[in-house]
Amino acid sequence: MSTSRAQLWLESLGDWSWPGQGGGRGGEALEALPPSWVPAFPPRLESFATAGAAGGAWQSPRAIPRRRFGLGALLSAVAAVCAMLVLHGPLSLDRLVGVRTATPAAATATGDSPAAPGPPSVTLAPVSQDAAGSSIDSATYSSAALGGEGSFLVYLPAGYASTASHYPVLYMLTGNDQSNTAFLQVGLQNELDRLIAQHAIPPLIAVMIQGGPGSNNWRNEGVTRYESYILETQQLVDRTLPTLSERGARAIVGDSMGGYGAMNVALANPYRFGVVESWLSFFNGLEGDLRADRPIIKRLGLHAFIYGGEEDHIANPDEDAPFAAALRAAGAEAHGAVYPGEHNLATIEAHLTSMLTYAGRSLSLRP
């Protein structure tokens, strides 16, 4: 008898249901469970993973080559700095780039380059506040990465305005041609309110970044610099809001094209994000970054959760378990699952609670 990929998520925190246990389908092997500190999660279902993926050698059927900075660019930058030293004498980083920058120790902790100034701070405009006391604000700014307007919505937890606390941040990327309000449409604000009030996750800030038209996959391609746009927004948020500006206090998630973007950015910038989730997504061409990141992931760790929809005909769910296995082989604490559902917001909404719980609990485990 073949093993079904369907899993049942029970909304009650602490309840489990999985094939072969209790009321499940008899005779099916038990799957490995998620961490004990997230008792509400369904176990990952990876019985259909390929043998090669189990060993970490995951390969995408549609690999896309990645571009990295070459030695020539590095030598050019060094030559430019040397010329400035000859003309003007010793330079501090502040003097060199014209802004006050983080110390080397802080840059190591945050993953930000001290020589790369971010965008200026912006003022948030209130949009709404709910009965629980949380609020949704909006921001627009002149984006150097896009060569135009960048924008995002931000969830601020209850008590934000009356506390001196600093918060971890959850960055959220939209799917193709999807508004960042889609996350609010599936109940993000209410779910975060409830989970924070129940102490299931720590209070956090959620930033919903507005994507652009077309299948840009949140990548830097041609004149569209959407990967840089994400990093630009992250720097802007750290400059503007009371965040915990460190790798372990940043999570990045997304659905569909945004799920690819989240994994792409997390692996291409391994010192910036400690938690990553991809929902109903794909992983084309990311195996090279994953191989390059292995020493960093083994040293710093990475929390990852990816899932697909069993009836998804856009993003192949069979990619999820092998890629999760490759992440684990690289040293990540990674989980993969396939749930009933199609490639739509209904599937996202059905598993929003578990995904927010995983991200929030992972953020609370930062060193």
Side-chain angles (χ1 to χ4, degrees), residues 153-274:
L153 295 173
V154 58
Y155 165 91
L156 301 173
Y160 168 86
S162 59
T163 181
S165 297
H166 285 65
Y167 299 90
V169 184
L170 174 66
Y171 292 90
M172 311 186 74
L173 308 182
T174 61
N176 185 17
D177 288 331
Q178 192 178 70
S179 169
N180 53 11
T181 60
F183 296 116
L184 299 177
Q185 293 169 16
V186 298
L188 176 72
Q189 185 174 13
N190 290 338
E191 282 303 304
L192 286 175
D193 287 347
R194 183 174 66 85
L195 292 171
I196 291 171
Q198 293 177 349
H199 304 288
I201 63 174
L204 56 79
I205 292 170
V207 175
M208 295 151 269
I209 306 176
Q210 180 58 60
S215 300
N216 60 66
N217 291 336
W218 295 96
R219 288 174 61 91
N220 286 344
E221 294 184 342
V223 296
T224 60
R225 316 297 292 175
Y226 281 94
E227 182 177 328
S228 297
Y229 172 42
I230 297 167
L231 304 181
E232 180 183 70
T233 301
Q234 174 258 303
Q235 288 184 320
L236 176 61
V237 168
D238 277 347
R239 289 166 184 253
T240 304
L241 302 179
T243 67
L244 291 167
S245 183
E246 59 190 56
R247 176 184 185 270
R250 296 189 193 116
I252 185 165
V253 308
D255 69 282
S256 188
M257 182 180 77
Y260 173 87
M263 188 63 69
N264 172 52
V265 168
L267 295 180
N269 303 272
Y271 290 105
R272 286 188 187 253
F273 299 96

Side-chain angles (χ1 to χ4, degrees), residues 89-110:
L91 296 173
S92 66
L93 275 175
D94 292 357
R95 184 177 171 192
L96 180 63
V97 300
V99 297
R100 184 174 182 178
T101 57
T103 63
T108 300
T110 63

Side-chain angles (χ1 to χ4, degrees), residues 8 14 56 64 68 72-73 138-139 159 172-173 213 219 240 302 308-309 318 332 341:
L8 176 63
I64 302 174
R68 292 187 177 272
S138 67
M172 311 186 74
L173 308 182
R219 288 174 61 91
T240 304
L302 179 68
D318 289 346

